[in-house]
Amino acid sequence: MDKIIQIIERIYSDGFNDALREKLISRILEGKRNIISSRKQGWDESDVVLITYADQFSAANEKTLSTFRRFYNNYLASAFPIVHFLPFYPWTSDDGFSVKDYYQVAPDYGDWRDISAIKKSTRLMFDFVCNHMSAESEWFKGFINQRQEYQNFFITVDPGVDLSAVTRPRALPLLTPFTFADGETKSVWTTFSADQVDLNFANPNVLLAMADVLIHYLEQGADYIRLDAVGFMWKTPGTSCIHLENTHLLVKLFRAIADIVAPGTKIITETNVPHKDNVSYLGNGGDEAHMVYQFPLPPLVLHAIRTQSVSTLKRWASVLPPKGDGRTTWFNFLASHDGIGLNPLRGIIDEQEILTLVDTLENEGAKVNWKNNPDGTRSPYELNVTYMDALTPPVCNDDERLARFMLAHALLLTFPGVPAVYIQSVLGSRNDYQGVERLGYNRAINRQKYSESEIETLMAQPENLRARTLETLTQLIMVRQRHPAFHPDSEFSINEKCHGVLEIIRGNAQEEKITALFNFTDRPQSLSLGQGQYQELIRGEFINGNAITLGPWQSLWLN
């Protein structure tokens, strides 16, 4: 508790008075008393996360969380012990990330009893949409209606103030005009859209309110808390308004609260930014996030497969700061509900290479989202495409499509850290152009929803790409979960064995060591690891180390 008070004093100085301090301490202690079940301490090789929407599957006359629970238990439970539900609260836009009410489950999805029922068979990750909320929320309505309890909950700015230094994640206006109860029109800070109004953490009452939301999620069973768009939380005009010192202090504060209320809770920061800024959220010695999203990994794996060259991927991975201390680790993924972020590539590969990759995929049918730069230019910041279609040109057949896809996911599962797989990848989804046309935004290309009967019919066809993907991927995950060498903290080294072939070694001689080989080319590759027999874990075969041949796009896990 002393640590919490120290952080608050650093952020607010004397602005956080004794009454507020007592309210916060009282709420923290109340939350601790309310939580009965314990969280898993740390992480291990069995931890694999499924990323999904709460309304991913539907059935007639049933709440979608009930449908999901049934599908999960039938098809996914054996491979995914952790489920990340994207925001399942009442919302108005951005597929859930414009939250109306932090305290409720969206009625079409179900209620907290449905969340509790799913919790019986899995651990859960909740989104804490802490930077902004819906313009239709009661909080914001209270603000524009000038109710005292919501005074300064959001940020108004004189349009004449110079905000040119502010980092813009999207090509939309930073300020949105709203008419207040007294008839005056004011400009309100909206980083992401006119329907997503930024909270004013400079107001201590906002911090108190959001701490209560965090504790509420812990009380409802969250094992993991994902801090969405966290880098933008603190605003100081004249600065970039991203990654400011007080933003980091707020993350430290959320971490400290979770450590008291529900020890073992994992705090994960979502910051789709260049690598050095992203890893800064791990703090100093594990006092901030437990994990950060490994944002460079998706575009670097894509780049390696598309160029059939592993040099850039190897160079980046070989200088990753070592973890292995049990206090922090990476949250690894290849696909998410958003697109494939390009900002994390900047500083790793040349801008022209980024533009070439964008042009290639756009010509094949991918969509592109752009951001505005301070100098008035614009840059691509996101490719909107399923990861299955990103990896493979349209002319390829399904056998090659699946081979490339499984190569990428074998690498994901080999990398140090906790892996997460998006539901569209699990289901082998292709680009949903009808969804883009119907909904009117690019990200819909990778957010297709399904009726339960529709998806089960497809999964019952063994030759179908979706069924093949689900079976092959879940089997690969279960192999990983049986081997301690894949523990997130185990030793890691990476080498380029020959052109287009990566070697990753996990584990050590004291426990178990696995040598993983990845052929990122469309032709067979032969190499030697020296004398000896190896057991190949993916296929259960034995291989002579002197004469190893990898087929095109093949992966081997050698023990």
Side-chain angles (χ1 to χ4, degrees):
M1 202 67 79
D2 288 343
K3 181 176 183 179
I4 289 173
I5 300 304
Q6 290 170 6
I7 295 171
I8 286 173
E9 288 176 349
R10 287 183 64 186
I11 298 173
Y12 297 104
S13 188
D14 297 329
F16 207 90
N17 60 38
D18 290 343
L20 291 173
R21 186 178 294 113
E22 288 304 315
K23 284 183 181 180
L24 178 60
I25 292 173
S26 176
R27 183 67 181 98
I28 290 170
L29 295 177
E30 178 191 20
K32 184 175 178 62
R33 289 192 299 270
N34 288 341
I35 291 176
I36 300 173
S37 61
S38 60
R39 271 63 171 167
K40 176 179 178 178
Q41 302 298 310
W43 38 73
D44 59 37
E45 63 277 6
S46 70
D47 293 331
V48 182
V49 180
L50 173 72
I51 306 170
T52 185
Y53 285 99
D55 63 341
Q56 188 60 56
F57 307 110
S58 60
N61 303 314
E62 184 175 58
K63 302 294 187 181
T64 60
L65 281 168
S66 293
T67 312
F68 176 87
R69 182 187 181 199
R70 185 167 53 250
F71 187 89
Y72 170 81
N73 287 331
N74 289 340
Y75 294 93
L76 305 172
S78 58
F80 297 99
I82 306 163
V83 173
H84 170 203
F85 279 125
L86 295 159
F88 51 83
Y89 328 111
W91 56 279
T92 53
S93 64
D94 201 16
D95 281 338
F97 284 90
S98 184
V99 179
K100 283 182 66 176
D101 185 346
Y102 289 117
Y103 291 92
Q104 301 299 325
V105 176
D108 289 346
Y109 304 166
D111 56 32
W112 288 113
R113 290 171 297 182
D114 295 295
I115 294 294
S116 180
I118 293 170
K119 171 79 174 170
K120 291 178 181 177
S121 53
T122 184
R123 285 172 282 147
L124 293 176
M125 179 169 164
F126 290 9
D127 265 288
F128 184 22
V129 187
C130 51
N131 178 71
H132 52 261
M133 67 187 309
S134 170
E136 295 297 317
S137 65
E138 290 303 313
W139 290 15
F140 189 68
K141 288 179 181 177
F143 175 69
I144 61 174
N145 286 325
Q146 299 175 311
R147 289 165 50 188
Q148 181 64 30
E149 63 266 40
Y150 295 110
Q151 184 178 3
N152 295 324
F153 253 57
F154 302 90
I155 305 165
T156 58
V157 182
D158 184 329
V161 172
D162 183 5
L163 299 175
S164 60
V166 175
T167 297
R168 299 298 299 120
R170 296 183 182 173
L172 293 169
L174 176 62
L175 303 179
T176 300
F178 289 92
T179 301
F180 284 65
D182 62 3
E184 184 179 358
T185 298
K186 298 180 183 178
S187 296
V188 179
W189 200 297
T190 53
T191 296
F192 291 94
S193 79
D195 188 43
Q196 293 168 297
V197 286
D198 290 53
L199 288 150
N200 181 20
F201 278 95
N203 177 357
N205 288 296
V206 170
L207 182 278
L208 193 66
M210 295 303 282
D212 187 72
V213 173
L214 171 61
I215 295 168
H216 173 67
Y217 291 162
L218 299 175
E219 290 171 333
Q220 296 297 334
D223 298 271
Y224 286 53
I225 294 287
R226 175 186 183 269
L227 303 181
D228 174 66
V230 67
F232 298 92
M233 277 197 299
W234 197 274
K235 281 80 174 173
T236 302
T239 73
S240 65
C241 296
I242 189 171
H243 315 314
L244 300 185
E245 180 184 5
N246 279 353
T247 291
H248 283 279
L249 289 172
L250 287 170
V251 177
K252 291 175 189 281
L253 181 61
F254 294 152
R255 161 75 179 267
I257 291 171
D259 283 346
I260 293 176
V261 174
T265 302
K266 314 301 186 296
I267 299 293
I268 305 171
T269 51
E270 185 265 340
T271 52
N272 190 356
V273 294
H275 187 66
K276 66 179 179 62
D277 297 316
N278 187 30
V279 299
S280 69
Y281 286 88
L282 293 174
N284 182 18
D287 64 344
E288 204 162 332
H290 295 87
M291 305 181 197
V292 296
Y293 273 70
Q294 188 72 280
F295 274 105
L297 191 61
L300 283 172
V301 171
L302 171 61
H303 176 265
I305 288 179
R306 282 304 191 130
T307 62
Q308 300 191 38
S309 171
V310 298
S311 298
T312 302
L313 176 60
K314 180 263 176 184
R315 185 173 63 251
W316 167 77
S318 63
V319 296
L320 282 177
K323 298 291 132 207
D325 58 5
R327 295 183 297 175
T328 62
T329 193
W330 311 109
F331 189 80
N332 297 320
F333 71 108
L334 294 176
S336 75
H337 62 289
D338 293 335
I340 301 170
L342 299 171
N343 287 344
L345 284 181
R346 294 186 163 97
I348 298 175
I349 67 175
D350 293 337
E351 188 68 19
Q352 187 53 54
E353 278 194 88
I354 296 174
L355 294 176
T356 299
L357 182 65
V358 169
D359 286 345
T360 298
L361 268 73
E362 190 172 27
N363 288 334
E364 293 177 358
K367 305 296 182 180
V368 183
N369 279 332
W370 301 80
K371 70 181 183 74
N372 291 333
N373 301 319
D375 62 1
T377 62
R378 69 171 193 161
S379 302
Y381 78 85
E382 183 180 86
L383 286 164
N384 300 115
V385 58
T386 66
Y387 212 73
M388 180 75 78
D389 278 330
L391 295 175
T392 311
V395 295
C396 294
N397 60 37
D398 280 353
D399 288 342
E400 181 173 349
R401 187 166 282 110
L402 183 60
R404 291 186 185 217
F405 182 85
M406 293 310 303
L407 169 73
H409 284 79
L411 184 84
L412 169 72
L413 295 169
T414 305
F415 235 70
V418 173
V421 187
Y422 181 43
I423 187 66
Q424 302 297 345
S425 293
V426 177
L427 300 177
S429 297
R430 308 291 303 278
N431 289 338
D432 182 16
Y433 295 110
Q434 290 182 341
V436 175
E437 184 175 349
R438 183 178 69 255
L439 297 172
Y441 51 87
N442 290 346
R443 286 178 169 177
I445 202 169
N446 194 26
R447 296 181 178 181
Q448 188 175 0
K449 307 293 173 64
Y450 308 93
S451 71
E452 183 182 32
S453 59
E454 169 193 15
I455 198 67
E456 287 194 330
T457 298
L458 293 171
M459 293 306 170
Q461 302 169 16
E463 75 287 352
N464 184 280
L465 179 62
R466 289 186 181 277
R468 293 171 66 192
T469 301
L470 175 65
E471 180 181 10
T472 309
L473 183 57
T474 53
Q475 287 180 354
L476 186 67
I477 290 170
M478 288 189 286
V479 172
R480 178 195 196 269
Q481 291 170 326
R482 294 194 294 267
H483 292 277
F486 291 119
H487 190 290
D489 298 337
S490 75
E491 293 182 13
F492 163 80
S493 65
I494 186 168
N495 302 287
E496 185 173 359
K497 291 296 287 183
C498 56
H499 178 73
V501 176
L502 268 184
E503 175 192 65
I504 293 178
I505 300 175
R506 298 295 313 279
N508 55 59
Q510 284 69 45
E511 43 183 40
E512 179 188 34
K513 183 177 286 188
I514 289 176
T515 299
L517 299 172
F518 307 90
N519 181 8
F520 278 75
T521 73
D522 59 3
R523 57 192 180 280
Q525 300 280 0
S526 297
L527 54 91
S528 172
L529 294 180
Q531 282 190 320
Q533 286 277 95
Y534 290 86
Q535 182 181 15
E536 203 290 302
L537 301 175
I538 298 174
R539 293 161 188 81
E541 305 168 343
F542 285 90
I543 292 179
N544 182 350
N546 271 329
I548 298 175
T549 299
L550 291 99
W553 315 114
Q554 187 178 10
S555 308
L556 302 176
W557 284 346
L558 304 175
N559 184 218

